[in-house]
Amino acid sequence: MTTNIYIMTDMEGISGVREPFQCNREHPEWQTARKLLVGDVNAAIAGAFEGGADEVLVSDGHGGGFNFILEEMDPRAKYERPNGARDYLPGLDKTFSGVFQVGAHAMAGTLGGFLDHTQSSVRWFEYKINGQPCGEIGQVGAGAGYYGVPILLVAGDRAACEEAHAFFGDIETVAVKEAITRNRARCLHPQEARELIRQAAKRAVGLVDYIMPWRLEPPIEVTLTYTRQDYADQVARNPGVERLDARTVRKVVQRGIDVLGF
C-alpha cells in the first residue's frame, strides 16, 4: 500500500513572515516571503519522504496560487493550486493517506492570532460549520475528511497550532512564531523552523493509522456572517443560500468538500 501525502499551504503562518505587507504580492517584501515559503514547504516535503511517503502533492494555496518559486521547490513532489473557492483541494482524493497544512493561521476573531482571519479579513466576520466557529484549518479538515483523509500536521503561528489540536486532536504541530499583536509576530529563525517542520513531518507520516479524519455527516449547515450588510446582499440570491439577518447567510450541503463557496 502506498503512502501519499497532500500538503496545503498558506503564507501568513510561514517562518519569517512577521508583518502583513509580506503577504501582499504588490509589496517588494513579498519576494522575500516567497523564498521563506519555499523553505518551509521543502522542509515538510523532505520530512514526508523521510517518514516513508511514496508521493507528495503540494497545493499553492495563498491568494489562489502563484507564490511558489517552482525551480527552487523539491523536485520529488508535484505541485498544483486551488481551482477557485469551491475546488480548493483539486488533487485530493481517497488515495491519499494524510494532509499537512504548512503556513497556517488562526480563524477570524482568535485572541493572540497573527493575521487571524477566515478567507477575507475585510469581508468575513464569522464562519461556522454546524454551529461551530471554524477557519481555514477546519475547512481543509472538512474537505479532507470527506475523502476519509486525516490532518496529520499543522505548522504556523502558535494560535493556529492550538486551533489544530482543538479540531483534530493529538496531531503533529510546529509553532514557528507567536503574535505580539495581530499584525506583528516574533519568529523562530527560518533554519530552526525548517528543521522542526522536517522532523514533525517525518513523525506525522507515522500517524497515518492513528489519527481519524474529521468526517461531517450530512446534512451540514454552514453559516457566514459578513462585516457589512452589502456583502451579504451579493450572495443572498444565489441558489441554496438563505438570508438569516442583515449580515448572515446560511446554506446546507451534503459533502464536507462543499463547505466553502456561497
Side-chain angles (χ1 to χ4, degrees):
M1 180 178 177
T2 59
T3 300
N4 299 335
I5 297 296
Y6 191 96
I7 303 179
M8 182 63 173
T9 69
D10 211 341
M11 189 170 276
E12 289 86 355
I14 292 299
S15 63
V17 172
R18 57 197 182 278
E19 298 203 37
F21 58 75
Q22 292 175 273
C23 301
N24 182 353
R25 65 186 70 230
E26 303 301 322
H27 195 283
E29 280 300 309
W30 177 65
Q31 295 296 338
T32 301
R34 295 178 75 194
K35 289 183 175 293
L36 294 168
L37 173 67
V38 168
D40 281 12
V41 175
N42 277 346
I45 296 168
F49 281 116
E50 289 173 21
D54 296 291
E55 295 184 13
V56 176
L57 175 61
V58 188
S59 179
D60 184 357
H62 178 72
F66 301 106
N67 303 284
F68 292 165
I69 305 170
L70 276 177
E71 61 268 27
E72 297 182 13
M73 306 297 294
D74 191 318
R76 295 174 293 178
K78 295 179 181 178
Y79 300 91
E80 65 177 15
R81 67 183 183 90
N83 186 30
R86 288 183 172 85
D87 191 16
Y88 60 107
L89 302 167
L92 184 64
D93 59 28
K94 64 182 180 180
T95 66
F96 282 84
S97 307
V99 170
F100 297 173
Q101 297 188 57
V102 177
H105 57 80
M107 72 176 79
T110 300
L111 182 64
F114 175 66
L115 296 181
D116 64 298
H117 68 280
T118 304
Q119 263 66 37
S120 169
S121 57
V122 174
R123 297 167 65 96
W124 288 33
F125 180 75
E126 186 174 55
Y127 171 94
K128 294 181 179 179
I129 297 177
N130 292 336
Q132 178 182 7
C134 186
E136 296 172 32
I137 292 171
Q139 291 166 356
V140 174
Y146 169 72
Y147 295 111
V149 181
I151 305 298
L152 303 178
L153 165 70
V154 171
D157 72 298
R158 187 169 302 281
C161 293
E162 293 171 354
E163 184 176 314
H165 283 300
F167 272 89
F168 311 124
D170 195 19
I171 66 170
E172 287 288 338
T173 59
V174 182
V176 302
K177 70 183 87 176
E178 58 184 344
I180 301 171
T181 67
R182 181 193 182 269
N183 295 331
R184 191 71 59 84
R186 182 180 296 111
C187 299
L188 298 179
H189 189 281
Q191 267 188 312
E192 181 180 358
R194 292 166 193 169
E195 179 59 19
L196 292 173
I197 291 170
R198 184 190 65 79
Q199 293 174 7
K202 181 178 179 179
R203 294 192 300 268
V205 177
L207 296 178
V208 166
D209 295 326
Y210 302 99
I211 300 297
M212 298 297 294
W214 191 39
R215 294 181 182 271
L216 297 173
E217 296 299 325
I220 305 162
E221 180 190 63
V222 183
T223 59
L224 173 57
T225 301
Y226 288 95
T227 55
R228 293 189 342 208
Q229 182 174 179
D230 54 335
Y231 296 146
D233 290 342
Q234 295 174 25
V235 299
R237 296 184 181 89
N238 290 349
V241 177
E242 176 187 359
R243 187 70 169 266
L244 297 185
D245 59 36
R247 295 187 296 128
T248 306
V249 293
R250 171 183 181 269
K251 69 174 183 178
V252 176
V253 299
Q254 302 301 315
R255 309 186 308 167
I257 197 68
D258 295 328
V259 298
L260 273 183
F262 279 85

